[in-house]
Amino acid sequence: MDIIKEIFNGNFMPHGHCLLWRGDLLFLHVGGDLLTFTAYTLIPIALVKLVKSRDDFRFNWLFLMFAGFIFFCGATHLVGLINIWNGYYYIEGIVKFLTGIISMVTAVMLWHLLPEAISFPSRRNMQQKITELQQAEKQLAESNLRLEAEVKKRTAQLEKIATTDELTGLYNRREIMRILDIEISRVFRQQTPLSIMMLDLDHFKAINDQYGHQTGDVTLQNAAASISQGIRKTDSIGRIGGEEFLIIMPDTTIESAYDHADRIRQTLAMQKAKDTAEQGCTASIGVAQFLQDDSLKSFIQRADETLYRAKAEGRNRVCRSLSE
């Protein structure tokens, strides 16, 4: 109890005696301590509020240490202000001693943190890094666009290779059969007519044997081009064998398909009759219309049988399926 009484003993000579109780000196010391204490109180409150409001700071504990350090500094000014009139020098000494302890702890912690703080990039470095990242992102985006364009190009090329006959540029057998299967499904849904032509070039083997396969290839290409020009935009044509072609004609009856096939036959015959350096050849064509009890296989078979009948009857002619 004696120690507590001694600590709170304010009977020591107040600082006011040292200032001779002069108004000007009292104003300067009292005003300075009062302003400093007020500021040193507001700053810790602001630091504590900042730490509570933000949980993403890496060194919240350091803010709190600074808040404690500043608060105790303010407390010494408060006691100094009181001691103008009362000599509580034990209290002032204790506050100063605690201020010294927290100041040393804060200093040690700050020096311990200093290497990591120095390693933080500066604002200029951060801006430079951001600029570099933005440039890298832009380059990556441009590379992705080029890659996507190249992938689309390669995909289109692969799709073309997968669906196109290399020599004639027409659909290959697999693709033209896929298209025919789709058209047959449409017949069942919409009850529309569907016809096909099975076309075979006459005496084509003789052209290969007499003039060579290179001439035969040119003959195939010319015939394919001529047939393609003679069909409608809604029709599809594919090469299904060596010199055999399949033409799909949606929304077309057997009568219309027969007339259309005969025009194609005449065009090929006229090309053969021309006096040119390139070889031409006539064609035999079988025409069939899809029936309700048909399948893809039976439909193709009927058109194929009709083609063989055209061949057997002398070639360079069109025959229609006897089932219609």
Side-chain angles (χ1 to χ4, degrees), residues 35-55:
L35 290 174
T36 304
F37 169 73
T38 303
Y40 280 11
T41 302
L42 294 176
I43 292 174
I45 294 174
L47 290 174
V48 171
K49 182 175 177 59
L50 175 63
V51 170
K52 292 184 66 177
S53 301
R54 295 289 297 270
D55 57 358

Side-chain angles (χ1 to χ4, degrees), residues 196-197 199 249 255-267 283 285-287 317-319:
I196 58 174
M197 300 182 205
L199 184 151
M249 296 174 287
E255 292 79 11
S256 297
Y258 181 90
D259 294 339
H260 201 58
D262 198 54
R263 286 195 294 270
I264 292 176
R265 181 196 64 77
Q266 292 177 28
T267 300
I285 306 174
V287 180
R317 65 186 62 238
V318 178
C319 288

Side-chain angles (χ1 to χ4, degrees), residues 242-260:
E243 65 272 17
E244 193 170 4
F245 302 87
L246 172 64
I247 298 95
I248 303 172
M249 296 174 287
D251 304 312
T252 305
T253 62
I254 186 69
E255 292 79 11
S256 297
Y258 181 90
D259 294 339
H260 201 58

Side-chain angles (χ1 to χ4, degrees), residues 37-284:
F37 169 73
T38 303
Y40 280 11
T41 302
L42 294 176
I43 292 174
I45 294 174
L47 290 174
V48 171
K49 182 175 177 59
L50 175 63
V51 170
K52 292 184 66 177
S53 301
R54 295 289 297 270
D55 57 358
D56 56 335
F57 287 163
R58 294 184 59 185
F59 308 110
N60 286 350
W61 52 268
L62 188 59
F63 284 97
L64 296 177
M65 290 300 297
F66 268 112
F69 161 68
I70 294 172
F71 174 78
F72 275 94
C73 289
T76 61
H77 286 275
L78 175 63
V79 177
L81 179 63
I82 295 173
N83 285 345
I84 293 290
W85 292 275
N86 299 279
Y88 293 104
Y89 296 128
Y90 276 113
I91 295 177
E92 184 177 12
I94 292 172
V95 173
K96 285 184 177 181
F97 189 77
L98 292 175
T99 303
I101 291 175
I102 194 170
S103 299
M104 286 301 299
V105 173
T106 303
V108 170
M109 296 177 70
L110 181 60
W111 274 97
H112 180 72
L113 178 66
L114 195 59
E116 187 174 355
I118 292 175
S119 67
F120 285 172
S122 66
R123 183 176 181 180
R124 178 181 298 177
N125 290 337
M126 287 293 292
Q127 186 61 46
Q128 182 179 356
K129 292 293 184 182
I130 291 172
T131 302
E132 292 175 356
L133 287 174
Q134 289 174 341
Q135 292 175 348
E137 184 179 2
K138 182 179 179 181
Q139 292 174 356
L140 180 61
E142 292 174 351
S143 297
N144 286 338
L145 288 175
R146 289 195 297 269
L147 181 60
E148 288 176 3
E150 187 64 23
V151 169
K152 288 180 180 179
K153 180 181 177 182
R154 295 298 182 186
T155 302
Q157 291 175 345
L158 290 174
E159 288 177 352
K160 184 176 181 180
I161 291 172
T163 60
T164 305
D165 176 62
E166 183 178 2
L167 179 63
T168 62
L170 304 178
Y171 290 129
N172 58 22
R173 182 184 183 89
R174 179 185 301 171
E175 183 65 12
I176 196 66
M177 289 300 179
R178 186 187 70 83
I179 295 173
L180 180 57
D181 190 50
I182 293 173
E183 291 298 334
I184 290 174
S185 299
R186 193 167 72 89
V187 169
F188 286 112
R189 290 196 313 272
Q190 303 178 4
Q191 298 299 311
T192 54
L194 172 65
S195 297
I196 58 174
M197 300 182 205
M198 194 71 75
L199 184 151
D200 188 86
L201 300 182
D202 297 328
H203 303 296
F204 182 74
K205 185 177 182 301
I207 295 176
N208 277 334
D209 294 341
Q210 184 175 354
Y211 299 101
H213 287 282
Q214 186 172 0
T215 300
D217 288 347
V218 173
T219 302
L220 272 175
Q221 290 170 339
N222 291 340
S226 180
I227 298 169
S228 298
Q229 291 174 2
I231 64 175
R232 303 165 302 182
K233 290 183 179 180
T234 54
D235 299 337
S236 300
I237 177 173
R239 182 186 177 197
I240 60 173
E243 65 272 17
E244 193 170 4
F245 302 87
L246 172 64
I247 298 95
I248 303 172
M249 296 174 287
D251 304 312
T252 305
T253 62
I254 186 69
E255 292 79 11
S256 297
Y258 181 90
D259 294 339
H260 201 58
D262 198 54
R263 286 195 294 270
I264 292 176
R265 181 196 64 77
Q266 292 177 28
T267 300
L268 291 174
M270 290 175 59
Q271 285 185 345
K272 176 177 172 54
K274 291 181 180 178
D275 183 17
T276 63
E278 297 178 350
Q279 294 300 313
C281 58
T282 60
S284 300

